[in-house]
Amino acid sequence: MPIGRTHAVSLLGLRGAIVEIEADISANLPSFVLIGLPDAALGEAKDRVRAAATNSGCALSHHKITVNLSPAALPKHGSGFDLGIALAILAADGAIDAASIDRVVHLGELGLDGRLRPINGVLPAVVAARAAGFGTVMVPTGNAQEAGLVPGIRVVAAASLLDAVIWHGGEFDAVPVEPILRAVPDAPADDDTDLADVIGNEDSIAALLVAAAGGHHVFMLGPPGAGKTMLAARLPGLLPDLDAAAALEVSSLRSLCGLPVGSALARRPPLESPHHTATSAALIGGGSGMIRPGAAARASHGVLFLDEAPEFPSSVLDALRQPLESGVISIHRANAVAHFPGSFQLVMAANPCACGQYGARDSECTCTPMSRRRYLGRISGPLLDRIDIQLRVQRITSAHVRLADQTPRLSTADARARVLEARAVAGARLASTPWSLNSQVPGTWLRSARMRLGPTTTASIDRALERGGITMRGYDRVLRLGWTLADLDGSSVPGADHIGRALYLRKAMSS
């Protein structure tokens, strides 16, 4: 008998690899052998496929069936190979057109009644199929809308194995079945948070504007009730809409996590705010079987907010150090390395001490100096050194409240317009480089002969570097902040004032 051959996709991180599914039927005692490094869920496909085929009226051969998943050295996870395995076996048995299934990528889990169940990760899998040169992909009806978000590839929706068999030329009578659909996601609620809601804290609002314009990380230190969480929640609203590539990446991460994608790609930057009891796997990603993305990956192209940062385990916080530098989250396992995007903006908030009252004008701190140092020492120096903006946030007073209606305040819409203008200026300057934001530019480029600022402009940070007030990494980050401040002010080159303000934003927490 001929060998039936079709294709599926194996996901490792956000990247998909094409897997060739080969089926052979030999005249031996009845058995079903599945080879090619399947995991436990995939190994159980033998029973699912046989029962689904029998209950669909297209029973499998009673001879020995051997199914090979190639490349054999690539670990394969999950139940999304069921449809491809069933069709390859039926093609080897001559029940359907072998040439037809060889041109199509098949994704889907089979129920025992033969219906196709939706699976997670369809969006990145379809992207991988398109990148590999395939023009058609068959998915469960419940995943059809999601798969259709990928342009340039034909999506065939199948409600059951029998529908797929008939589509590939199988001569069976069609039997209508009710497809298994995913719950329709609720329409996203309108974001009713506005920057104009923030009373007082003008320095913090200005710092937030700089962070949004340049993509800089922020650390806010202040007593409870100072407005740290309120400020962080408004940062995503200042960011521009996602471009097509970023929107597809964000939606693919949601698909991989089993979150609803909807009928359109996500266009607004995400906000992730994990609880301080989160583990490294929850924050960064991991898993003993299939490697899943964590909150940091889901926040890519958006904001990762860590409230009560000192309450996170130090090992969890330090796991962010590598993604903050590279913009990529790499998770290593014995047999594979998974990569996820990690280009998020980190916003951390912390109380100044365990009781939270140190430095507050209206309260008295009961903590000893040693306990205060120990509390903030839970956030390591190398991690803080990677945070561009470090500022103190104070509680507002009754005077701020009285002046609230008399003083014009910056709205989210106006702030976003300023951010767009500043990013357009930076984008034009960086058009011939691989970077698009000031926070991405390496210090070596900023200190090169082409971009180097004059000694009178950098005098403040030169002195700070000589005295040990900042590290070389901190020096470069102040330069980035200076360029962002210049972009917001409409200046072509940062001046001494911009660099001085940038140094203040960098050192305001310790002042």
Side-chain angles (χ1 to χ4, degrees), residues 88-164:
I89 296 170
L90 291 171
D93 203 19
I96 57 176
D97 184 2
S100 177
I101 68 165
D102 196 18
R103 296 190 294 265
V104 179
V105 172
H106 297 93
L107 307 168
E109 175 187 337
L110 287 172
L112 298 185
D113 59 357
R115 290 189 297 172
L116 280 168
R117 299 180 180 276
I119 59 173
N120 297 338
V122 161
L123 194 57
V126 175
V127 171
R130 182 189 63 178
F134 286 89
T136 306
V137 61
M138 181 177 286
V139 300
T141 301
N143 288 127
Q145 187 180 63
E146 178 183 331
L149 297 176
V150 182
I153 191 166
R154 180 187 180 190
V155 176
V156 178
S160 66
L161 174 60
L162 186 59
D163 288 349

Side-chain angles (χ1 to χ4, degrees), residues 362-500:
D362 54 350
S363 301
E364 183 178 352
C365 175
T366 59
C367 302
T368 64
M370 179 63 72
S371 66
R372 288 196 294 267
R373 287 195 296 270
R374 188 183 301 116
Y375 182 76
L376 289 179
R378 299 175 187 176
I379 305 174
S380 68
L383 177 60
L384 277 178
D385 202 32
R386 289 168 166 83
I387 308 299
D388 300 354
I389 299 174
Q390 304 175 17
L391 66 146
R392 283 188 177 272
V393 183
Q394 297 292 347
R395 288 174 179 156
I396 63 170
T397 64
S398 58
H400 291 117
V401 177
R402 287 195 299 269
L403 294 173
D405 296 332
Q406 305 172 18
T407 306
R409 299 194 298 274
L410 186 65
S411 68
T412 293
D414 293 338
R416 191 190 299 176
R418 291 191 59 189
V419 168
L420 288 171
E421 292 175 2
R423 288 198 175 196
V425 173
R429 181 175 61 251
L430 301 172
S432 59
T433 72
W435 317 293
S436 59
L437 295 174
N438 289 324
S439 61
Q440 300 168 348
V441 179
T444 52
W445 191 77
L446 291 176
R447 290 181 274 105
S448 64
R450 175 187 172 189
M451 302 299 297
R452 185 182 301 128
L453 303 176
T456 57
T457 302
T458 61
S460 58
I461 54 175
D462 290 339
R463 288 194 300 269
L465 182 64
E466 290 171 3
R467 296 171 180 173
I470 57 175
T471 63
M472 196 64 219
R473 179 189 284 122
Y475 186 98
D476 291 341
R477 291 184 179 276
V478 173
L479 287 178
R480 296 173 184 173
L481 281 171
W483 279 98
T484 300
L485 287 165
D487 293 339
L488 283 168
D489 289 346
S491 303
S492 58
V493 178
D497 176 63
H498 295 121
I499 299 300

Side-chain angles (χ1 to χ4, degrees), residues 74-90:
L74 177 70
K76 301 157 191 80
H77 308 278
S79 56
F81 297 85
D82 289 3
L83 178 60
I85 291 172
L87 294 176
I89 296 170
L90 291 171

